[in-house]
Amino acid sequence: MRKWLDTYFGFNRKEYNGLMTLLALIGLTMLLPYVYSLIKEEEPITEADVMAIQELLLAEQKKFSNKNRETGGLNYPGKDKSELFIFNPNTIGQAGWVQLGLSEKQASAIIRYREKGGRFRKAEDLQKMYTINEATYDRLRPYVRIAEDRSAVKESTDAAFKRDIYENRMPVVIEINGADTTELDKIRGIGMTFANRIVKYRDRIGGFYKKEQLMEVYGLDSVKYSKIKDQVQIDVSRIKKINVNTVSFEDFKFHPYIRYKQVNALIQYRKQHGNYSNIADLNKVAILDQETIDRLAAYLEF
């Protein structure tokens, strides 16, 4: 019995003897009423005897409980063999965690966390592991050493270097009606995201006839515009024209300056009254307001 307890719970001889005494007293207390009925009348068990046994039982229980509190509960193999040493939680192996006092199961949980991409950036991160309770963390904290990630430092340095080059590069002047995204990316303050947006919007309207139209591009506000306006120029000869006397609904389908009903009215008026001679003729289409006509003027031909 003692060998089994020693194997699975790490009981030493003193703990074993204490446990056996406690169990014996508990058994004696339970059997006391039956023993009493078997004893001769001339040898009765007095109330004092019962109280003495109960006091002894309580004393043994208290002693056993205090011992458990001091040792942190029942021992397990290897618990008293833990050893504290300086360690990096990002590199230490399972055997190292066990040596620090964790169980095999606890160590495995931490290894799995790291294998899935988990990382400890500071000692306090150990507290987010459910396998490490507050007492264990307090015991391990003074021994944690996390080395600086050189690759992260290099990436940060490279990014700062590129940003410095970007912010201090020589200004350029780009013609935006003919430029592709690579050329637009050379404009300081644009970047590839806005370069793509500018090209897409330019294709929808047929080109820019004034710089201020850049503020119609999604996300390009007046602040950004003020930073880039001196780096762009416009060649209006590159604007794609639309002949209003041959235009179909499909030609205006995605144009942001005119609505479906207005396109339909423009075409129907032409069918009923003949071709338009100039921009002023568009005023004859009741549904076309002056603002719409002015915005479309640079894109129309007759």
Side-chain angles (χ1 to χ4, degrees):
M1 178 68 171
R2 192 183 71 80
K3 183 178 181 181
W4 181 81
L5 288 172
D6 182 55
T7 300
Y8 291 96
F9 295 99
F11 271 46
N12 55 38
R13 182 179 295 277
K14 186 175 181 181
E15 291 172 330
Y16 171 78
N17 291 337
L19 180 61
M20 292 299 102
T21 302
L22 178 61
L23 291 175
L25 289 171
I26 292 173
L28 180 59
T29 303
M30 294 175 65
L31 292 173
L32 191 59
Y34 302 100
V35 174
Y36 178 76
S37 64
L38 298 176
I39 296 178
K40 296 179 181 181
E41 294 181 358
E42 62 269 17
E43 298 177 354
I45 294 179
T46 66
E47 183 177 351
D49 293 331
V50 174
M51 292 181 64
I53 293 174
Q54 290 179 338
E55 289 177 359
L56 181 59
L57 176 60
L58 289 173
E60 287 296 326
Q61 286 178 328
K62 184 176 180 181
K63 180 179 178 181
F64 193 75
S65 297
N66 289 338
K67 182 63 177 178
N68 276 340
R69 282 197 295 270
E70 292 172 3
T71 60
L74 297 179
N75 288 338
Y76 53 82
K79 181 173 181 180
D80 295 332
K81 298 178 182 179
S82 64
E83 177 185 351
L84 295 174
F85 54 86
I86 302 298
F87 70 98
N88 183 340
N90 291 312
T91 58
I92 186 174
Q94 181 161 335
W97 287 111
V98 173
Q99 188 175 353
L100 287 168
L102 275 67
S103 69
E104 292 283 348
K105 186 176 181 180
Q106 291 172 321
S108 295
I110 297 175
I111 298 300
R112 286 195 300 272
Y113 166 75
R114 289 201 327 231
E115 290 175 347
K116 292 180 179 178
R119 184 169 183 78
F120 302 98
R121 301 190 182 282
K122 55 184 182 297
E124 289 76 9
D125 288 346
L126 286 173
Q127 293 177 299
K128 63 186 178 184
M129 299 300 301
Y130 71 90
T131 56
I132 298 180
N133 58 31
E134 186 176 351
T136 302
Y137 169 74
D138 290 339
R139 187 167 58 87
L140 298 179
R141 172 65 183 86
Y143 300 89
V144 177
R145 300 291 185 275
I146 300 178
E148 187 176 39
D149 189 339
R150 297 296 178 185
S151 61
V153 172
K154 184 178 184 303
E155 289 177 4
S156 177
T157 303
D158 290 346
F161 179 71
K162 292 177 181 177
R163 184 172 61 254
D164 184 63
I165 292 176
Y166 175 79
E167 292 176 350
N168 293 284
R169 63 188 178 184
M170 293 296 293
V172 295
V173 178
I174 302 295
E175 196 290 302
I176 59 175
N177 278 335
D180 59 18
T181 55
T182 302
E183 291 177 294
L184 290 173
D185 186 43
K186 296 177 182 178
I187 299 173
R188 188 168 57 192
I190 288 294
M192 191 54 71
T193 298
F194 277 105
N196 280 300
R197 291 180 186 176
I198 290 172
V199 169
K200 289 180 180 179
Y201 190 73
R202 181 188 69 193
D203 291 344
R204 285 184 63 194
I205 63 176
F208 300 100
Y209 63 83
K210 61 180 181 179
K211 294 181 182 181
E212 288 77 9
Q213 286 177 285
L214 286 169
M215 287 187 284
E216 297 171 12
V217 175
Y218 176 73
L220 205 160
D221 56 18
S222 59
V223 176
K224 185 173 286 293
Y225 170 72
S226 66
K227 293 180 180 179
I228 68 173
K229 64 180 181 178
D230 295 329
Q231 302 177 69
V232 300
Q233 62 183 15
I234 293 174
D235 181 359
V236 294
S237 67
R238 290 177 177 271
I239 292 176
K240 295 178 181 179
K241 299 283 186 174
I242 300 174
N243 191 319
V244 293
N245 291 320
T246 59
V247 68
S248 67
F249 177 77
E250 291 297 322
D251 295 320
F252 272 128
K253 185 176 181 180
F254 299 108
H255 205 292
Y257 290 172
I258 189 169
R259 299 190 302 275
Y260 168 80
K261 290 183 178 180
Q262 292 173 318
V263 174
N264 186 58
L266 185 149
I267 294 173
Q268 293 303 320
Y269 185 90
R270 184 188 71 201
K271 289 180 179 180
Q272 294 174 14
H273 302 282
N275 290 343
Y276 299 100
S277 299
N278 51 53
I279 194 69
D281 283 349
L282 295 181
N283 289 296
K284 299 175 182 178
V285 182
I287 199 172
L288 288 178
D289 57 84
Q290 190 60 48
E291 181 182 357
T292 300
I293 294 172
D294 291 341
R295 296 181 78 186
L296 287 172
Y299 303 98
L300 301 180
E301 61 182 7
F302 301 87

